Amino acid sequence: MSKPVTVGVLGHVGNENLGDEAIIAAVIQNIRGRWPDAEIRGFSLAPLDTEERHGIRSFPIRRQREHQNREETSAAGAESEEPRHTSLFDRVKEFVKRIPVLSTVGRCAVEMAERVPEIGREVIFLRDSRECAAGLDLLIFAGSHQLNDFVGGPWQYPYTVLKWTLLARRAGAKVVFLSVGAGPIDSWLGRRFIRSALMRASYRSYRDETSKRVVDTLRVSDANKLVPDLAFSLESPVAPKEAPRGERLVVGINPLPLYTDYWYTTDHTKYEEYIGKLARFADWLLDRGCEVRFIPTQLKVDPAVIDDVRSQMVQGDPERDKLIRAPTIRSLGDLRSELVDLDLMVATRYHGILLSLALHKPVLAIAYHAKAGDLMEWFGLGAYMMDAENFSVEALTETFRLLEQQRESIAIALRHQTPDFRSAVVAQYDEVFGLLEGVP
């Protein structure tokens, strides 16, 4: 190629989820390995975070903080106790409210009037985004669970995916979807948006069977490529550790804020049950003389869950407390350094499971989504998995005993399996990067 290639890497990242950041880091590594002089542009939810973590110039995939001024104005109005004078407009509104037909029409008119400024802001954002996409040769939708409409409806993920697909294609770039997760996609508009984006791509693959089946229902041609998560292609600066026999067993616990306000559905009773089970399990590990390390992978919310679990554990025993650690993790490097010291991992988050397996750590998965089950089955570890909503402490401890008994043979199997996963992802890069061979 006579000029350096320009590649965009797009992910719904920037919210301190280190699992998703591992995907971005892996893609950047592999681009640099192929094209050391490439210009790499990041497209994320938080461009400043992406620039700091990955050292690439970055741009927002959505308008930023678009409702902040409106919310601040509303809050200020709510705090004010000054009486307001009734205007002619206010009197007309009160009159309209008393007549059902006029009230319905009025609400629609007000809603449309409120949306006009948003449409205008989006048009401006699209104009600016077109400039950010200019000059791209390739736009990579980099893994993660980007094909869904159950978070925010069709105008969140589906619209964002289609919008950037169209912007990249207009700029003359090829678009590829690499090892993405999918589903649920239940709305008619969400399905149309995502299908339209996928049909304009030069290459697409899915990271698990569940995602592939979801995309199959969209009737997208070639929707049958199954390639492992891109994080498997991340080169590790730390070598997996084999613990000598006789050492104290070091067990990681990776939690998740299930059913909190952070989650898709809120149920505080279920959340309390979940953290209570983890607390009793951690106490059981300590009773057996294990060292327990609480490992967050989402740095904004997981530490609070860890605090809640610890608050329900047995208190007041200094010797016991010495066996509990909650290390401070700020980066992907910090996370991997902690994972490498574990003997066994009990993980709820998808990348808590995946990154541990990639470092040859036997995992007991508390699965909240079918994608975790697909991953565990892929490694032949389906027997060491339970449903996050319905597991019991008794089942958890019994499954852990089995994992502990088989940990050496599982670790050996992982050392043989993970190179195959990495090879599959690397072969995909070769195919995708080959799309640009001969580009001037």
Side-chain angles (χ1 to χ4, degrees), residues 200-331:
R200 288 171 168 82
S202 299
Y203 180 96
R204 45 198 172 262
S205 65
Y206 312 95
R207 70 180 181 188
D208 52 72
E209 289 281 0
T210 300
S211 296
K212 186 181 78 67
R213 286 194 295 270
V214 168
V215 176
D216 283 344
T217 68
L218 301 179
R219 298 180 181 178
V220 178
S221 59
D222 296 327
N224 59 348
K225 291 181 180 177
L226 193 61
V227 182
D229 191 282
L230 301 175
F232 280 113
S233 66
L234 184 62
E235 293 184 3
S236 176
V238 290
K241 184 193 83 169
E242 295 182 48
R245 291 177 180 272
E247 280 192 359
R248 188 186 300 277
L249 201 66
V250 180
V251 182
I253 296 180
N254 166 237
L256 182 70
L258 289 171
Y259 302 112
T260 64
D261 294 338
Y262 165 85
W263 204 240
Y264 316 116
T265 56
T266 302
D267 189 323
H268 294 296
T269 299
K270 288 184 177 180
Y271 173 69
E272 290 296 327
E273 290 176 355
Y274 168 70
I275 63 172
K277 292 172 186 178
L278 289 186
R280 294 196 297 277
F281 174 67
D283 282 333
W284 177 80
L285 290 174
L286 294 172
D287 289 341
R288 299 178 74 236
C290 300
E291 179 180 329
V292 175
R293 297 187 187 179
F294 290 98
I295 308 293
T297 58
Q298 214 294 358
L299 306 186
K300 283 186 176 180
V301 293
D302 290 357
V305 184
I306 290 170
D307 290 342
D308 288 344
V309 173
R310 294 188 67 179
S311 71
Q312 295 201 22
M313 293 172 63
V314 173
Q315 307 290 321
D317 186 339
E319 292 303 313
R320 186 187 184 89
D321 290 346
K322 291 178 182 178
L323 298 179
I324 305 171
R325 283 193 55 205
T328 300
I329 294 174
R330 295 189 177 90
S331 67

Side-chain angles (χ1 to χ4, degrees), residues 363-394:
V363 174
L364 194 166
I366 302 175
Y368 69 90
H369 190 279
K371 62 187 178 184
D374 290 342
L375 179 61
M376 292 291 285
E377 292 288 355
W378 217 341
F379 277 92
L381 298 175
Y384 305 102
M385 178 182 62
M386 51 193 56
D387 181 68
E389 186 170 352
N390 301 314
F391 76 97
S392 67
V393 178
E394 293 73 22

Side-chain angles (χ1 to χ4, degrees), residues 249-252 281 284-285 288 290 344-346 364 384 386 394-406:
L249 201 66
V250 180
V251 182
F281 174 67
W284 177 80
L285 290 174
R288 299 178 74 236
C290 300
L344 298 170
M345 169 60 98
V346 179
L364 194 166
Y384 305 102
M386 51 193 56
E394 293 73 22
L396 186 60
T397 56
E398 182 58 31
T399 304
F400 182 86
R401 287 182 188 274
L402 296 174
L403 183 71
E404 182 182 3
Q405 292 170 6
Q406 300 297 321

